[in-house]
Amino acid sequence: MRRTLNLKAALAAVSLCLLAPAGSGQTRGTPERIEPARTAAPQEHPAPSTLPPPESAGALTSTVRRSAEGRELTLPFSQIGQVHHPHEVRRGQFRQRLHFELRTDELVRRATLTLMLAPSPDLLGRNDLLVVKLNSETVGRIAVPPASGLDPSGQFMTQLDLDPKLLTDSNELTVQFAVPPQCDSPQFPRIRVNGHSRVQLAMQPLPLANDLSVLPSPFFDRRDPGRTEVTLVTSDRPDGSTLQAAGQLASWFGALAGHRGARIRSRADLPAGHAIVLATAQDRPAGVSLPPIAGATVVLGSHPSRPGAKVLYLLGRDGAELRRAVEALVRAQLPAQGSSAVIDTLPEVAPRQPHDAPRWTSTQRPVRFDELLRQEQLGFSGTLPDAMRNSMTVSLQMRLPPDLFAWRERIVPIDLRLTHSPRPFSDPRPEQAHIELRLNNETPLLDENLAASQPRRWIEQLWQQIDDQDITREHRHRLRLPVESLGTRSYNDINIRVDHGPFDEHAQCLREAQAENSQGGRPDKAWSLPSTIIEGSSTIDFSDVPHYLPMPDLAAFANAGFPFTRMADLSETAIVLPDLPMREEIDAMLGVASRLGEGSGMAGRLLEVVRVREIDRVAQRELVVIGSAGSQPLFTEWVRAMPFRDLPVAGSGDLPETSDVPFWQSWLQGLWHRPKFPPLPQQTFRSVKAPAVIAGFESPLRAGRSVVALIGATAADLELLTGALADKARLKEIHGHLSSVRDETPEGVHAWRADPTYGSGELPWLTRLRWELADRPVLLWLVLFGAVLALSLITFVLLQRHAIRRRAGSPL
């Protein structure tokens, strides 16, 4: 009984979360001039045929335009609402909610809502009104025009001026019918909201106090959906300590930005906007006035020439103090108030363990479903129609380490628990509840009917008449996910679809109407719908899967920063720059560091950034080597370890060229090792025909360690590589041993792949033996022959001993 009540309470809480409007909260401030809200009247003449078609939701992205007064922000509905579902206001489900957030360091001066609406034909001429609410406050009423007021595509457009005082940091926009739903119409009129409908905002900077407690704002704001852009100010020729501090800071901003992406740039003078200054007593940017340096110093001040802009000073008398100031910032060890702080000491931090990056799904223990998705999204009460069916789709998103050994017999156990409440027994329709699980919408894991047998329904009906309690059924499924179905991708989804049969819009309309009109908002049980709640205690367990990845693999680097993010604090990673790096090479280093921070989800506080002359100090680490033609001598020294032979940055032109392998040699190699891909050394840098390449190979300094080289024909060409790593469309094309980037289009990225030359990770000895023999048929036959020969020898020796004892008359 107690469990049933708990489940009912959980279902009620989920329903309230879905139906309760968001509070308006505190206002963001009052601008000097506020324009009154207005509602556009229905158009008397057809609108020009410039409106996009109703099905074009999702084709528009948010845009930002900057001006002297601030910036203008455009947020299309396709980016702030249910991106994968049509925006539709229906009589059976008569409200549409869209949520968007705004930066805390900006004030809204002007806000305009543009709605592009396509009413259904049976709604025309009914004098229906739509009500638009912003944070529960009515901001306008829209009348549906007659057919003559629609454009050729069946749409009309209207604009509303929104009161800026109603906008807060977190906002909810609601579009709904003005009157409760009427359930007498068999057609159930509806209005489709085009995805090109938008909220246009004119923003002005909001002055922030010079208080360290506001950090990381204004340099990063989690509510800003756009890319994070940060400018670092260093000397024209920064020393090694400054470069290392800059790399650690870039990785922190990359971790903060996450999927938004971060663009970190450096310069030698203060920009017009926000900036972060890195300096020591000996290495300071020329022309920048610094606060007094009394140790590891952190100061937040105003821009000397741009009101409203902020400058964060990270200072030290030497490189160690500068790095301590940066570490205090990224570890949130700054004081809670005040504009400056001197950091004397920092508490010790426990060392990180392999594969424990905060952004990765844990592979050390069973992971609960409520860790992968918010609990309120795991419940389904039948109010989310999908293609006019009473169904729900939930995706559990996982970001897995790329080195999970997805080979053959390994199994990932899934313990799925759910609670199902069927339709009331008074409903004459047959029960058709059904659940389906798929991996990445491809591999089927579960396909089962949740409906009970007829004898059980009779027993449940009898029990309900005795106990007068809702019937709930608990289901538990133990599933087995083959590891090989995961492939080598980092992102994987467990797609759960619950289907309760054909959707009865009339019953749903009556239920919502009764909920609106009844006191307390509880509809009669006769109109209650089936519900399914997936328990958050359901688990998926990757702890039995070994970690091993054939290398090199540039896809693992591009998507998750692997193998560098294997240790989330980058304690085994070093970035190698030329001895006299140019500004473009420093920016490439910052771009790579921010990508590594995004891949792990935390700052790389132990990242090393060194010049070529310091390479021996980091010989035991995984290396990212950055350089351009003529500036990076390691490309010349390591050319025989790289996946091509005529690297132009070597300069001399007398390097060994690749020659065709004779047929007999290729045939013998095929007997020993069955190749999956053509040998990559046949590819040459000249045949790549691109100004920039990313190459992966084994470190010449230590076996088993990886090197990823970012090579540009000129320093400016490195921007193509960092841009490709930050662009989702181009990033998908980076894989294999070698990827070239010709331009800023996905078609400009070309990849080459060869057989692995080394591996990252460890395997059980028997699995490692089977793995090594899988593609080596001759070696496999030799091992089998040796095993048979050894077994024969052992058997022969035992038989000989047996014969000797028998001849000697000794007992057997």
Side-chain angles (χ1 to χ4, degrees), residues 378-623:
L378 295 176
F380 170 59
S381 58
T383 59
L384 300 176
D386 180 10
M388 293 309 297
R389 295 184 66 84
N390 202 13
S391 62
M392 169 194 72
T393 301
V394 174
S395 292
L396 303 179
Q397 299 179 350
M398 302 175 294
R399 189 172 187 178
L400 298 170
D403 64 340
L404 282 183
F405 191 60
W407 191 62
R408 295 189 178 177
E409 301 167 357
R410 295 284 178 176
I411 295 295
V412 175
I414 301 177
D415 185 5
L416 175 66
R417 307 180 186 191
L418 58 91
T419 302
H420 173 64
S421 298
R423 290 192 182 98
F425 295 107
S426 57
D427 194 328
R429 293 172 297 167
E431 187 179 358
Q432 302 180 23
H434 182 267
I435 185 171
E436 180 182 273
L437 264 73
R438 288 182 177 270
L439 175 68
N440 300 320
N441 275 325
E442 298 172 356
T443 307
L445 302 175
L446 176 66
D447 192 342
E448 185 170 308
N449 194 348
L450 297 177
S453 61
Q454 193 62 34
R456 181 175 177 180
R457 282 183 59 85
W458 289 339
I459 296 175
E460 290 176 345
Q461 184 175 5
L462 178 61
W463 180 257
Q464 187 178 36
Q465 292 175 353
I466 297 174
D467 197 32
D468 193 27
Q469 295 291 334
D470 292 336
I471 296 298
T472 59
R473 302 172 187 154
E474 296 181 2
H475 296 261
R476 185 172 184 178
H477 303 274
R478 298 185 182 274
L479 311 177
R480 294 162 59 88
L481 168 64
V483 178
E484 60 182 350
S485 62
L486 296 172
T488 58
R489 68 181 80 184
S490 295
Y491 293 92
N492 288 271
D493 294 339
I494 298 289
N495 309 109
I496 307 175
R497 178 179 173 83
V498 179
D499 193 340
H500 290 163
F503 179 68
D504 189 341
E505 194 166 4
H506 182 72
Q508 173 69 5
C509 184
L510 289 174
R511 181 178 186 274
E512 292 198 5
Q514 204 172 66
E516 288 287 321
N517 298 327
S518 62
Q519 188 174 6
R522 291 194 60 186
D524 190 274
K525 286 184 180 181
W527 300 111
S528 63
L529 297 177
S531 66
T532 300
I533 296 178
I534 302 166
E535 298 291 343
S537 58
S538 304
T539 60
I540 182 170
D541 188 1
F542 295 93
S543 58
D544 192 42
V545 183
H547 290 269
Y548 182 82
L549 182 65
M551 298 292 284
D553 191 332
L554 289 181
F557 168 73
N559 288 282
F562 190 86
F564 307 97
T565 49
R566 174 180 173 272
M567 301 297 294
D569 55 5
L570 304 184
S571 59
E572 296 182 354
T573 297
I575 300 179
V576 185
L577 292 172
D579 285 330
L580 295 175
M582 290 180 279
R583 185 63 64 178
E584 294 86 352
E585 293 167 332
I586 295 175
D587 288 347
M589 178 273 293
L590 297 176
V592 170
S594 67
R595 283 295 302 166
L596 296 181
E598 187 279 331
S600 65
M602 66 173 295
R605 47 178 294 271
L606 298 181
L607 169 68
E608 291 273 3
V609 179
V610 301
R611 271 84 63 88
V612 174
R613 60 175 176 263
E614 304 167 303
I615 188 70
D616 293 338
R617 182 159 59 88
V618 294
Q620 306 302 312
R621 294 187 172 220
E622 316 274 2
L623 304 177

Side-chain angles (χ1 to χ4, degrees), residues 77-398:
F77 278 22
S78 60
Q79 303 297 315
I80 63 177
Q82 300 175 7
V83 179
H84 303 293
H85 298 279
H87 303 279
E88 195 172 72
V89 184
R90 301 169 40 253
R91 280 300 185 93
Q93 182 187 346
F94 59 98
R95 62 169 61 90
Q96 181 69 242
R97 290 190 176 98
L98 299 105
H99 182 78
F100 62 97
E101 296 182 316
L102 301 175
R103 290 179 62 99
T104 57
D105 61 342
E106 290 182 327
L107 183 69
V108 180
R109 293 187 294 107
R110 184 177 64 257
T112 304
L113 171 65
T114 301
L115 288 173
M116 303 175 188
L117 306 172
S120 59
D122 50 358
L123 191 61
L124 302 177
R126 292 172 58 109
N127 297 321
D128 283 274
L129 288 177
L130 289 178
V131 174
V132 181
K133 294 184 177 182
L134 178 61
N135 296 329
S136 301
E137 296 289 338
T138 300
V139 295
R141 295 176 180 269
I142 304 172
V144 179
S148 60
L150 305 180
D151 73 344
S153 63
Q155 299 182 90
F156 71 97
M157 182 172 68
T158 185
Q159 284 189 339
L160 302 174
D161 286 341
L162 305 178
D163 188 348
K165 292 187 297 182
L166 297 177
L167 289 163
T168 67
D169 298 338
S170 181
N171 303 278
E172 184 180 67
L173 188 68
T174 306
V175 182
Q176 65 183 61
F177 280 103
V179 296
Q182 300 175 3
C183 306
D184 54 348
S185 172
Q187 299 299 324
F188 294 98
R190 66 198 71 215
I191 289 182
R192 183 183 293 267
V193 184
N194 193 296
H196 282 70
S197 301
R198 57 191 178 271
V199 179
Q200 295 170 288
L201 305 168
M203 318 291 292
Q204 70 181 35
L206 183 65
L208 295 178
N210 291 331
D211 197 316
L212 297 177
S213 63
V214 304
L215 294 174
S217 183
F219 308 99
F220 168 78
D221 194 312
R222 66 174 182 83
R223 298 176 178 86
D224 191 345
R227 182 173 62 177
T228 299
E229 298 191 8
V230 179
T231 300
L232 305 183
V233 180
T234 67
S235 66
D236 193 52
R237 293 291 183 183
D239 61 20
S241 296
T242 303
L243 290 174
Q244 183 166 332
Q248 294 169 352
L249 197 59
S251 69
W252 180 58
F253 279 110
L256 291 176
H259 67 278
R260 306 173 186 86
R263 181 178 183 180
I264 318 296
R265 289 292 181 264
S266 65
R267 54 188 295 167
D269 57 346
L270 284 177
H274 305 303
I276 300 177
V277 177
L278 301 172
T280 64
Q282 297 78 27
D283 183 29
R284 58 175 64 202
V288 177
S289 178
L290 301 179
I293 304 177
T297 305
V298 181
V299 179
L300 181 62
S302 299
H303 196 288
S305 60
R306 298 286 295 188
K310 297 296 180 185
V311 179
L312 178 64
Y313 300 91
L314 299 172
L315 312 171
R317 290 171 295 191
D318 54 27
E321 290 185 346
L322 172 60
R323 293 195 299 271
R324 191 193 310 154
V326 171
E327 187 167 354
L329 173 64
V330 302
R331 287 172 52 184
Q333 298 289 334
L334 298 178
Q337 58 184 359
S339 61
S340 64
V342 177
I343 312 300
D344 295 326
T345 59
L346 290 173
E348 294 291 331
V349 177
R352 306 292 302 192
Q353 299 300 316
H355 305 101
D356 68 346
R359 197 151 285 157
W360 292 357
T361 301
S362 175
T363 58
Q364 311 300 324
R365 56 174 177 80
V367 179
R368 292 168 54 101
F369 278 19
D370 53 13
E371 297 179 57
L372 305 175
L373 197 67
R374 295 192 304 272
Q375 178 64 36
E376 59 266 24
Q377 294 180 280
L378 295 176
F380 170 59
S381 58
T383 59
L384 300 176
D386 180 10
M388 293 309 297
R389 295 184 66 84
N390 202 13
S391 62
M392 169 194 72
T393 301
V394 174
S395 292
L396 303 179
Q397 299 179 350
M398 302 175 294

